[in-house]
Amino acid sequence: MEYIEKSAAQIAHDVRTRVRSAAEVTDATLAHVESVEGAVGAYLTVLADSARAHAARVDERVRNGEKLALAGVPVAVKDNMCLDGSRTTCGSKILERWIAPYTATAVARMLEAGAVPIGKANCDEFAMGSSCENSALGVTRNPYDLTRVPGGSSGGSAAAVAAYEAALGMGSDTGGSIREPGAFCNLVGFKPTYGRISRYGLIAFASSLDQIGPLARTVEDAALAYDAMAGFDPMDATTVDRPVEAAAGALREDLRGLRVGMVREFDSAALGAALDALYRAAYRDLERLGAELVEVSLPTAAYGVATYYLIAPAECSSNLARFDGVRYGLRVEGDDVRSMYDRTRAAGFGPEVKRRILIGTHALSSGYYDAYYVRAQKARTLIAGDFERAFAQCDLIACPAASCPAFEFGAKSDPYSMYLMDYYTIPMALAGLPALSVPCGWTTPEGGRVPMPVGLQLCAPLFAEKLLLGAARAYEAATGHALARRPELESVRA
Amino acid sequence: MNARYEAVIGVECHVELKTKTKMFCGCVNAFGGEPNTKICPVCLGMPGALPVPNAQAIELIIAAGLAFGAEIPAFSKFDRKNYFYPDMPKDYQISQYDMPLAIGGTVKYWLEDGTMRECRLTRIHLEEDTGKSTHAGSGDGRIAGSSYSLVDFNRAGVPLMECVSEPELRSGAEAVAYLESLRRTLLALGVSDVKMEEGSLRCDANVSIRPAGSAELGTKTEIKNMNSFRSVERAIESERARQIEILSNGGRIVQETRGWDEVNGVTHSMRSKEEAHDYRYFPEPDLVPLEPSRAAVERLRAALPVLPAQRFERYTSQLGIGSKQATQLVETPSLGAYFDRVVACSNNAQQASNFVLGDLSRLANETGVAVAESAVSAEHLAELIGLVDAKRINSKIAKELLARMWDGAGSPAAIVEREGLAQTTDPGAIAAFVEEVLSAHPSVVAEFKAGKSNVMGFLVGQVMKASRGKADPALVNELVRTKLSS
Ligand SMILES: [Zn+2]
């Protein structure tokens, strides 16, 4: 096992105790990135010089006695988060050459904790998609089968971590964009409670849903990253001003005393025999760890996708208005300002982004607002109410993280089948709940060459991140599914 | 004016708040400056930047609402108003749609002759200002024919109060009187500088006409581009006349936005209702709802200053001061407060008003020091008025004393005492001065006796001079006259 395959916790420990320097870890990571990037394509920009400069600073801080939780940990930053002086594209032509003039709070907190930014990771354009195929700037492949997608929209961050091109990934989850690529790439993908981590500097897709979170190879690593990023930010009025309980040091050994809810409406039998067997085994493992399984009902969760595809596009239609060619990003000149807008946006946005802007503009327009936007908000309230009632009967909810394992490129070419990928992750996003995916086994998809990872989703009540991570840690330790296979990188090394 | 029709006018004002920082970021809120020097990622609408509301701006809006007797709902929120415009960085404006910070209320105003009137408010809400575009290459700064435009974002994100009146005004003069009262009130509250010339007050007017006495509303037009109170009055009157002429000729008013042309004194069509935007308002997801606590609202209510309309009514109805002087006194909040302190320790409000608006305001103009900040304390001015009222000093001495008090001489009573400036009212003492003067000017006395009565002024002046100005002028007059006629 190469050093770069170590966990973030191990790397940080080694750098803190000066067993390794951050500079060595960074150099090793950059060398590995160079050898596998051609095949994986996780990054849109590799920040080699800046990473070395950050690493030097970390080593200096360590020498000065600072106890950095993420000392020297290589991190992949999703390219919808601003990092001062770095190109920040959102996977879009419209921002292809935009250099961020400031740093996102979550990124700044990771750097403050000692993390070293290796690069800006690919994503679906403006985080709209579930496979990374909507990126206008590059193709990212799943390290476990390069003919398959890494998931999305945080697919670049997921692929980077899975391929050891970083020990931690920063992703953003609007309807499942951390959890689904986490499941596709054999990772822990964790979306905290809405308002836990500042969105300042995260280029907005749907403001009321977007939430930053980590992608990691272990639950402990995810918890370390969460601890570094979480907490009130005076620059984001939607962050919650309440204490964050450190999750990294409080991981559970078992699930004794916990009631885990099985969602009646999310019967895994619908996913086919192979996945059904995997999920049933996972639920049995939870039980074996001491959890009491109880049945709960989320009767309105089935409306999640429909609700989400009104609210998220409505917000995106407004959030993306600023990309008009006036002050930054792409500009295509026109005869007057109106034609400049039209030409810039026509050339700068890809088809999925345009589709959502159209849907959202329509949903907000006069005469349709009540029928679409207001109704969707009411449905959202009902869905959140369902979860509240469910959590009166259980401490955690367990369900699938995605309806299938990573699929081949082009397999979901019609938008609606792609939207359904987030069927199990959207309801939690609408309710603002903390949820994660954790590896729960392997299955060879129909027509596939090798087994692909599958993710179990765990969801907790608002602000119960510590409980959620603790339980996931217990499950991970008892099952060890993630360790069963390695990504297929040997054959692709340049 | 045509007596068969009456105008129905509503006014919509945008007022820049006088906060330390902008509405949603930490940039300084100040007029002018080099273009694009008061900017940051937030007010530039940079990708990823988020708004954080300015608590001071929210308090100023609530204070304004309370001053006009508006309801401050327990729940309010921000909404996005979506439209594309180059000087609006996010291509949406954070504003308030259906749940403003203040609902209803009344602006009390008065006409030139002192008649009090009221106009109800629909609402007051909080929003952010846009940047400013300059069109270049066309020579006249207009967009037509320009080859490029420049945008200054210093103003982008400045907190803006929108204040909408009910259509209860009936003439351009009433609209201006309403605006004057609104302006004075906001100034007294410290909400804004309310300077139309700097753009910290901007207003549009809705104008329609209907048969006098009718309760129905006619089709309205919205008038924009009015740059002074004078142009508001002219624009409304011009629009009223235009509409009356159309209706009188059997025509129909088109609902539209019209721009005021200051040079030609007419309004012209800008865009019709069909071209109106669909702003696609929806609740601002980057901000949480505003829920001002009752305690905070009551604290703001308790801290409200005396309002100009209250002052004006008290001055005219209780103190008997004329409308013109009362208006001048309420014009500057600090002057009105100073006057109130003078009146509190003097019984002669009229005299106080004369001094404050006369000699003191003149001294203030000459020295550039505000009356309220001058060395003349309200108590000392009241003391001076008392001395005049008690005929202890005459008005000439009073004027001299005031000038010395302005320079820091302190209590006028003490000066009078110290320097023996008290008016001489003893007829015996004055008679002696008269005797002295008449015997010193026998030729003038002769002229008077020969019928040149206008030389009496000279003789009175000489007596005043002999008394070193202290003689009671009325008594001097009387005694000179008696002596000459004897
Ligand atoms: Zn700013």
Side-chain angles (χ1 to χ4, degrees), chain A residues 29 56 61 148 179 250 266 299 323 342 369 372 390 437 449 493:
Chain A
T29 305
R61 290 172 68 192
R148 292 178 182 270
R179 292 163 284 164
F266 288 172
F323 304 104
D342 292 348
Y369 180 79
Y372 292 131
S437 61
R449 298 179 298 116
R493 276 183 200 281

Side-chain angles (χ1 to χ4, degrees), chain A residues 73-84:
Chain A
V73 172
V75 61
V77 180
K78 185 176 181 179
D79 210 20
N80 61 353
M81 296 175 207
C82 293
L83 173 59
D84 194 358

Side-chain angles (χ1 to χ4, degrees), chain B residues 22 25-27 39-40 43:
Chain B
K22 290 186 181 181
C25 65
C27 290
I39 51 170
C40 74
C43 57

Side-chain angles (χ1 to χ4, degrees), chain B residues 210-456:
Chain B
R210 64 184 176 194
S214 160
E216 272 170 51
L217 291 172
T219 304
K220 69 180 175 185
T221 59
E222 187 180 6
I223 317 298
K224 287 184 177 296
N225 300 346
M226 299 172 294
N227 301 318
S228 65
F229 285 179
R230 173 93 188 103
S231 61
V232 169
E233 183 165 0
R234 287 178 66 205
I236 288 174
E237 290 308 324
S238 143
E239 178 61 14
R240 164 156 82 176
R242 187 188 71 90
Q243 292 190 11
I244 287 174
E245 192 181 328
I246 291 174
L247 286 198
S248 304
N249 294 332
R252 207 170 54 84
I253 308 296
V254 179
Q255 184 169 344
E256 62 184 351
T257 302
R258 298 181 68 83
W260 169 243
D261 176 347
E262 186 76 45
V263 178
N264 298 309
V266 292
T267 63
H268 55 82
S269 180
M270 288 170 78
R271 60 171 180 262
S272 73
K273 191 192 173 196
E274 285 68 36
E275 295 166 65
H277 292 286
D278 177 0
Y279 291 118
R280 290 173 286 120
Y281 281 101
F282 74 104
E284 167 56 276
D286 285 330
L287 296 170
V288 294
L290 295 168
E291 294 171 89
S293 78
R294 288 302 96 183
V297 171
E298 288 317 310
R299 259 199 314 281
L300 289 167
R301 195 195 303 277
L304 287 180
V306 185
L307 301 174
Q310 293 170 335
R311 276 219 166 94
F312 180 85
E313 273 195 290
R314 188 159 54 81
Y315 294 170
T316 50
S317 64
Q318 286 177 29
L319 302 181
I321 292 170
S323 169
K324 192 169 171 224
Q325 275 202 355
T327 303
Q328 284 177 287
L329 284 170
V330 302
E331 187 60 40
T332 314
S334 68
L335 197 70
Y338 178 86
F339 172 74
D340 287 352
R341 288 199 301 277
V342 177
V343 171
C345 33
S346 158
N347 293 322
N348 194 338
Q350 187 56 58
Q351 188 67 276
S353 173
N354 293 346
F355 271 120
V356 168
L357 296 174
D359 293 301
L360 280 183
S361 290
R362 183 179 47 77
L363 286 164
N365 277 340
E366 285 167 11
T367 58
V369 176
V371 171
E373 260 103 67
S374 75
V376 182
S377 73
E379 292 72 23
H380 285 162
L381 180 59
E383 199 175 288
L384 187 73
I385 293 166
L387 291 171
V388 175
D389 283 352
K391 295 196 189 304
R392 296 251 301 141
I393 57 173
N394 60 43
S395 59
K396 182 166 172 289
I397 298 277
K399 256 187 207 304
E400 286 168 17
L401 277 178
L402 202 54
R404 291 173 62 190
M405 288 156 70
W406 188 270
D407 294 331
S411 158
I415 305 172
V416 167
E417 191 63 34
R418 196 165 60 235
E419 302 181 9
L421 298 179
Q423 181 162 262
T424 306
T425 48
D426 171 12
I430 295 174
F433 287 127
V434 172
E435 201 66 53
E436 190 185 306
V437 167
L438 294 192
S439 44
H441 298 93
S443 58
V444 180
V445 174
E447 279 179 47
F448 181 85
K449 301 222 160 161
K452 282 184 83 176
S453 59
N454 60 350
V455 298
M456 193 173 128

